[in-house]
Amino acid sequence: MNVFLSNYAAENAVLPLDVSIYRACKDLHGSKAAIAEINGFNPMVFSKCVDINNTQYHLHPEHIEAVLHYTKDKRILESLASAHGQVVFFEYKNDVDIKNFDFLSKVGKVSKKVGELFDGLSESLSDGKISSIEMAMLEKHAMELIGAVAALKKIAKIKSEKDLQVEGE
């Protein structure tokens, strides 16, 4: 579990659910107090529930929902998707600009990251093992790639619909 507490893992791997909630609160200073106040939680108890080093208190579904609602931290959703095993989480942007084809370069960058990850994994397989952090990194990069492809599909569909409207006029 300690391997997932590093800043590197927080940015590059799918975190276990309790760690993702802990990091979401930790990375947004003052969020635990604000979440507790907004949702009517006892601030001390809520803080202990979020603390991954405290084994006496546990997160409740309403805590998870409150943290996600307040922080909008996608690492929590990535954790849930990973726990299911057959689900991938990705985030659509609301403001789709079909004139901005910079998105293609973003897909290329994500693909490159996945390629680099596969290179790293093939190197790590020289010992015949994939560590938990390596697997979590693979899951995160794979979700990013799938999300980028889905967003590209959405942009293409919107452009196609606008082009059909222009042809019909």
Side-chain angles (χ1 to χ4, degrees):
M1 182 64 72
N2 287 340
V3 70
F4 289 106
L5 294 178
S6 72
N7 288 334
Y8 180 78
E11 294 173 12
N12 297 296
V14 176
L15 304 173
L17 183 59
D18 59 342
V19 177
S20 67
I21 292 168
Y22 168 78
R23 290 301 303 217
C25 291
K26 182 177 188 256
D27 293 350
L28 189 59
H29 183 71
S31 61
K32 285 191 280 190
I35 293 167
E37 183 176 337
I38 290 166
N39 294 281
F41 301 149
N42 178 313
M44 294 301 291
V45 172
F46 178 68
S47 182
K48 290 176 183 178
C49 289
V50 171
D51 184 358
I52 57 174
N53 296 313
N54 191 324
T55 58
Q56 292 180 329
Y57 292 85
H58 304 286
L59 287 167
H60 299 281
E62 58 270 16
H63 294 153
I64 298 168
E65 182 180 5
V67 172
L68 182 60
H69 187 267
Y70 184 82
T71 65
K72 306 287 191 233
D73 195 313
K74 69 180 188 176
R75 294 177 293 191
I76 298 167
L77 295 173
E78 289 173 346
S79 297
L80 292 169
S82 177
H84 183 281
Q86 302 298 319
V87 175
V88 175
F89 161 76
F90 58 91
E91 191 172 29
Y92 279 124
K93 300 287 184 198
N94 284 336
D95 54 336
V96 176
D97 182 9
I98 60 171
K99 293 179 183 172
N100 181 4
F101 288 101
D102 180 45
F103 183 76
L104 292 174
S105 68
K106 291 178 184 172
V107 172
K109 288 177 186 176
V110 173
S111 298
K112 183 178 177 183
K113 283 175 110 176
V114 172
E116 290 170 358
L117 180 62
F118 281 131
D119 288 344
L121 283 174
S122 66
E123 288 177 19
S124 70
L125 281 175
S126 62
D127 66 358
K129 297 178 183 176
I130 297 177
S131 71
S132 59
I133 191 75
E134 290 168 333
M135 189 62 221
M137 289 172 60
L138 174 62
E139 286 184 66
K140 180 167 180 100
H141 291 295
M143 278 193 246
E144 287 175 350
L145 181 61
I146 291 167
V149 171
L152 181 61
K153 180 182 165 189
K154 180 180 179 182
I155 290 171
K157 183 176 182 177
I158 291 169
K159 171 119 175 72
S160 173
E161 289 170 356
K162 286 188 177 190
D163 290 347
L164 287 174
Q165 287 175 354
V166 170
E167 286 177 12
E169 292 176 356

